[in-house]
Amino acid sequence: MSNAKQVVFIGGEGIGPEVIAETQRVLRWLVAERRLGIEIRDALYGAEAWRRTGKTVPDETAAALRSSDAILFGATGGPDYDALPPEAKRQGNLLRIRKSLDLFANLRPIVAIPALAEASSLRNRVLEGVDFVILRELSSGLYFGEPRGIESLPNGERRGVNTHVYTSGEIRRVARFGFELARSRRRRLCSVDKANVMEAGRLWREEVQALHDAEFADVELSHMLVDNCAMQLIRAPRQFDVLLTDNMFGDILSDAAAMITGSLGMLPSASLGPVGADGRRPALYEPVHGSAPDIAGQGIANPLGAILSLALALRLTLGEPGAADRLERAVSSALATGVRTRDIMQEGATPVGTRDMGDAVLRALERAA
Ligand code: IPM
Ligand code: MG
């Protein structure tokens, strides 16, 4: 039996296939050059899969999702996805994958990249030394709570309903993940909630505090209301180490935090499930940017969010932390040569497209080899 780790690449919709193609090139280079025990395959998903197989998640893809060690996912959404019939959408959407693999821990590292300081709307002195992780609960809360739906009322009005709901178990498992993560970093965790208004927020705060007191007293814990957190993220982001949020708040705060790196296009993410009986944990890696339909198919999307997601996969799932470090350094050194996709463009830099940026990272890897 082969010990090789299985990595499945899913381009998905919008700019997904473009950024995933570059990411796969980078992994193929690392595998060849470093003889890594990694097997690569592609899987169809979403609108493209529907056109070719009549299913948004073909059986082969479903099997690959279950059996792979890591999934590298591009993006989903946009006009192609919107045009799908409702039953196809129900079958193939990112939220469904997250739920079915129980991907409860979503990591979004926010690190200021000095070479990109100009691309950020924030001042240099605010950005300097910023290095934290948003840990977003990804499998529950407002995104999945029942009841949900749009109903017609007797008076002719319509009513939209979603439910913000968390159990103590759901809160504790993501909080535990956060405290353990904090122990591997600067031992500080800030938990975000809306405990002044919402019961689910009050429970969130109580459970995080109780777990801390029982098992993680060595980690410095603070609680912050989400509205204040939005301000603190752009006022003084250096204060954060691990930022623990629920599903909805993490979605919003991570877009705001993206400005610290200069562009949403730079942000990688890892979504992890619980460790199974076989010792493996489901793991999906994807750039945070989404499908960006306005620039899809033009070859101008920034592939670095996806490439940095591969670095996370190498570190967290594929047992190749050295390769992860090398890849992150290669991204910095590619940027240092002055190449920029449109989203991070600055005066005097060389404008490049998706493929050229992939080339720049490969050249940086070669230089360092
Ligand atoms: C994200 C995205 C998704 C989310 C969308 C595409 C459903 O915005 O991963 O942040 O809201 O979780
Ligand atoms: Mg989002």
Side-chain angles (χ1 to χ4, degrees):
M1 232 181 73
S2 134
N3 287 327
K5 304 259 190 192
Q6 307 287 328
V7 179
V8 52
F9 282 82
I10 298 180
E13 286 131 4
I15 59 172
E18 298 162 61
V19 299
I20 280 299
E22 297 313 308
T23 307
Q24 191 176 116
R25 276 209 305 149
V26 168
L27 182 57
R28 286 193 188 281
W29 187 91
L30 286 168
V31 165
E33 181 74 13
R34 305 282 163 180
R35 299 201 176 76
L36 304 183
I38 291 174
E39 278 168 21
I40 297 171
R41 59 181 158 160
D42 292 296
L44 273 179
Y45 173 89
E48 170 82 358
W50 174 262
R51 267 194 303 276
R52 297 196 6 203
T53 70
K55 281 185 167 181
T56 45
V57 187
D59 299 345
E60 243 180 88
T61 300
L65 286 176
R66 277 192 305 274
S67 66
S68 64
D69 293 285
I71 304 159
L72 255 297
F73 191 87
T76 177
D80 287 353
Y81 175 82
D82 292 341
L84 292 172
E87 71 274 17
K89 280 190 203 163
R90 269 196 298 280
Q91 188 198 28
N93 78 51
L94 182 59
L95 298 183
R96 181 107 181 217
I97 295 185
R98 289 174 179 171
K99 191 72 182 171
S100 68
L101 298 176
D102 200 12
L103 302 174
F104 69 95
N106 178 227
L107 295 160
R108 300 183 165 188
I110 310 287
V111 182
I113 304 171
L116 293 184
E118 283 300 305
S120 175
S121 57
L122 299 175
R123 286 169 210 248
N124 246 311
R125 63 175 164 77
V126 174
L127 298 177
E128 240 163 34
V130 173
D131 177 354
F132 64 94
V133 183
I134 296 179
L135 172 59
R136 170 188 176 194
E137 200 293 325
L138 201 65
S139 64
S140 182
L142 198 44
Y143 272 56
F144 297 100
E146 300 281 348
R148 66 184 300 165
I150 299 178
E151 59 190 17
S152 297
L153 300 177
N155 68 0
E157 280 204 277
R158 295 197 302 156
R159 190 164 82 128
V161 180
N162 290 91
T163 302
H164 190 142
V165 57
Y166 272 103
T167 65
S168 49
E170 288 168 339
I171 297 167
R172 281 185 185 236
R173 76 170 172 171
V174 72
R176 174 178 302 282
F177 193 105
F179 286 127
E180 279 165 2
L181 179 63
R183 272 184 179 158
S184 73
R185 298 174 48 94
R186 302 194 300 279
R187 287 184 185 256
R188 291 174 41 212
L189 184 140
C190 175
S191 173
V192 177
D193 60 47
K194 190 71 183 169
N196 55 342
V197 177
M198 300 172 76
E199 280 73 15
R202 207 167 75 220
L203 185 73
W204 181 280
R205 188 173 289 213
E206 287 171 12
E207 292 297 329
V208 172
Q209 186 67 51
L211 180 66
H212 169 267
D213 297 350
E215 295 182 43
F216 295 97
D218 56 308
V219 176
E220 190 189 315
L221 169 65
S222 59
H223 302 279
M224 196 177 274
L225 295 172
V226 61
D227 46 353
N228 181 30
C229 184
M231 180 181 72
Q232 296 301 334
L233 273 176
I234 50 178
R235 192 190 74 88
R238 226 175 358 251
Q239 68 187 287
F240 297 117
D241 181 17
V242 176
L243 195 57
L244 173 66
T245 76
D246 74 16
N247 204 344
M248 181 86 252
F249 297 156
D251 179 50
I252 299 168
L253 295 176
S254 58
D255 270 36
M259 250 312 125
I260 291 165
T261 65
S263 163
L264 196 52
M266 294 298 302
L267 233 56
S269 82
S271 305
L272 306 175
V275 179
D278 59 358
R280 291 192 325 171
R281 83 186 315 157
L284 182 142
Y285 296 86
E286 59 175 322
V288 176
H289 53 60
S291 65
D294 52 321
I295 60 164
Q298 299 176 35
I300 59 173
N302 184 350
L304 295 179
I307 289 172
L308 290 169
S309 299
L310 171 62
L312 291 181
L314 288 163
R315 181 174 297 122
L316 300 176
T317 298
L318 302 173
E320 298 290 348
D325 292 345
R326 274 200 299 278
L327 182 50
E328 284 167 354
R329 278 198 302 272
V331 166
S332 297
S333 101
L335 289 170
T337 67
V339 290
R340 295 287 185 275
T341 44
R342 212 171 64 167
D343 57 314
I344 49 175
M345 192 54 199
Q346 69 191 62
E347 228 177 88
T350 314
V352 298
T354 311
R355 177 89 192 184
D356 296 332
M357 188 57 103
D359 283 341
V361 172
L362 287 171
R363 277 199 305 274
L365 281 168
E366 272 156 15
R367 278 198 304 276

